[in-house]
Amino acid sequence: MNEQRRVLVQAVDVHKSFGAHPVLKGVDLKVHEGEVVCLIGASGSGKSTFLRCINQLETVDSGLIWFEGEPVGYRREGMTLHELSAAEASRDRAKIGMVFQSFNLFPHMTVMENLVQAPRLVKRMRRSEIEPLARELLDKVGLIEKVDAYPRHLSGGQQQRVAIARALCMQPDLMLFDEPTSALDPELVGGVLTVMRDLAESGMTMIVVTHEMGFARDVADRVVFMYDGRIIEDGPAHDVIGSPQHERTRSFLASVR
């Protein structure tokens, strides 16, 4: 079924090093429109760096990532690739929402101000255009009553749900989640995962770095196991988590259980 959908993200032989330390060592991956892909693996396996490369927060050293048929970080002129200017990269990045481990809300702004900021600055939308969508999204994440609150008055779980709503306010075509529950107390995790489940059911394309194996098993179309900068195993969630083929995948899953 996936092959009938368009490929939204394609990574081809992606390498990335920080100084003399290689982090990505030839990553190849396709993600189709409407697909939920969970990246799993130990810390340091390259998962978060790969997400940051998709969103142009890091520049790949070699290989290419394609998003919606265009090379990430470049524009094509005939057969030649030209690196994007900062303004062009910002415009492209607006199509991709990203939610981090830390909530990254502006502490001096209310919840509503946090949501309307990026659409105003990046998409040049009027506040009156954005607010109805912002209220709708806050309602979806169960926080409409917090519209005028400041981040310091919210729990970690509430802040993370606001961060998800803020990313969605840009109406992205792809959502990236980088261990969005890892900084939360256990009792706050469920609310964030519920919002992400609902988002997946709505048809949003999602790439999720997570250690929540229950979420990956139940929600992901595919699970990708990374080890030492490479993809070791990639397949349907019930196969990779239920009956992994690679010894390193089995060892990792045993450690997180």
Side-chain angles (χ1 to χ4, degrees):
M1 183 174 69
N2 279 340
E3 295 304 328
Q4 297 169 2
R5 306 181 196 172
R6 68 170 175 154
V7 175
L8 199 68
V9 179
Q10 182 167 9
V12 180
D13 195 25
V14 170
H15 289 74
K16 174 66 180 177
S17 296
F18 294 103
H21 177 56
V23 178
L24 300 176
K25 303 175 183 178
V27 173
D28 295 286
L29 183 71
K30 283 184 184 178
V31 178
H32 294 81
E33 193 170 35
E35 200 172 19
V36 178
V37 175
C38 281
L39 304 183
I40 65 172
S43 297
S45 58
K47 309 180 302 297
S48 296
T49 297
F50 181 54
L51 282 198
R52 292 174 65 84
C53 289
I54 295 173
N55 205 27
Q56 300 186 55
L57 298 175
E58 301 289 352
T59 305
V60 303
D61 296 331
S62 63
L64 271 178
I65 299 174
W66 300 79
F67 174 66
E68 295 186 329
E70 294 296 328
V72 168
Y74 300 91
R75 56 183 163 78
R76 286 186 292 182
E77 291 182 4
M79 299 297 289
T80 307
L81 295 179
H82 298 273
E83 202 166 325
L84 294 182
S85 68
E88 289 171 324
S90 178
R91 188 179 63 240
D92 276 9
R93 197 180 293 123
K95 302 173 187 175
I96 302 175
M98 189 160 180
V99 178
F100 300 85
Q101 297 177 34
S102 54
F103 322 121
N104 291 350
L105 300 178
F106 296 112
H108 62 290
M109 293 183 178
T110 65
V111 165
M112 176 58 76
E113 289 166 343
N114 266 280
L115 264 66
V116 303
Q117 177 83 343
R120 282 182 57 243
L121 295 179
V122 179
K123 299 178 86 170
R124 304 297 183 195
M125 294 174 67
R126 293 189 301 274
R127 182 167 177 140
S128 59
E129 294 178 89
I130 312 162
E131 279 205 8
L133 173 61
R135 289 181 179 278
E136 179 185 331
L137 290 169
L138 287 173
D139 191 37
K140 280 185 178 177
V141 302
L143 291 172
I144 189 63
E145 77 284 358
K146 301 293 187 182
V147 65
D148 294 319
Y150 287 88
R152 65 180 176 274
H153 298 136
L154 305 177
S155 71
Q158 289 172 331
Q159 290 189 57
Q160 193 61 295
R161 283 184 279 152
V162 171
I164 293 172
R166 180 177 63 177
L168 292 172
C169 217
M170 290 292 285
Q171 299 174 287
D173 297 332
L174 169 69
M175 283 289 288
L176 307 176
F177 292 87
D178 188 6
E179 298 194 33
T181 60
S182 65
L184 300 179
D185 293 332
E187 66 269 21
L188 302 177
V189 168
V192 173
L193 293 181
T194 295
V195 170
M196 293 171 64
R197 288 173 194 267
D198 292 344
L199 191 56
E201 288 175 7
S202 76
M204 174 63 74
T205 311
M206 297 164 58
I207 306 176
V208 183
V209 172
T210 186
H211 282 99
E212 299 287 344
M213 292 303 119
F215 175 86
R217 183 186 60 244
D218 297 342
V219 178
D221 297 296
R222 281 164 50 218
V223 169
V224 173
F225 173 67
M226 292 185 68
Y227 176 82
D228 193 29
R230 298 181 175 89
I231 291 176
I232 301 296
E233 197 158 346
D234 176 357
H238 59 84
D239 289 348
V240 174
I241 293 178
S243 54
Q245 299 302 299
H246 198 285
E247 174 56 36
R248 293 200 183 278
T249 316
R250 290 195 291 269
S251 176
F252 170 76
L253 290 170
S255 73
V256 297
R257 285 174 185 144

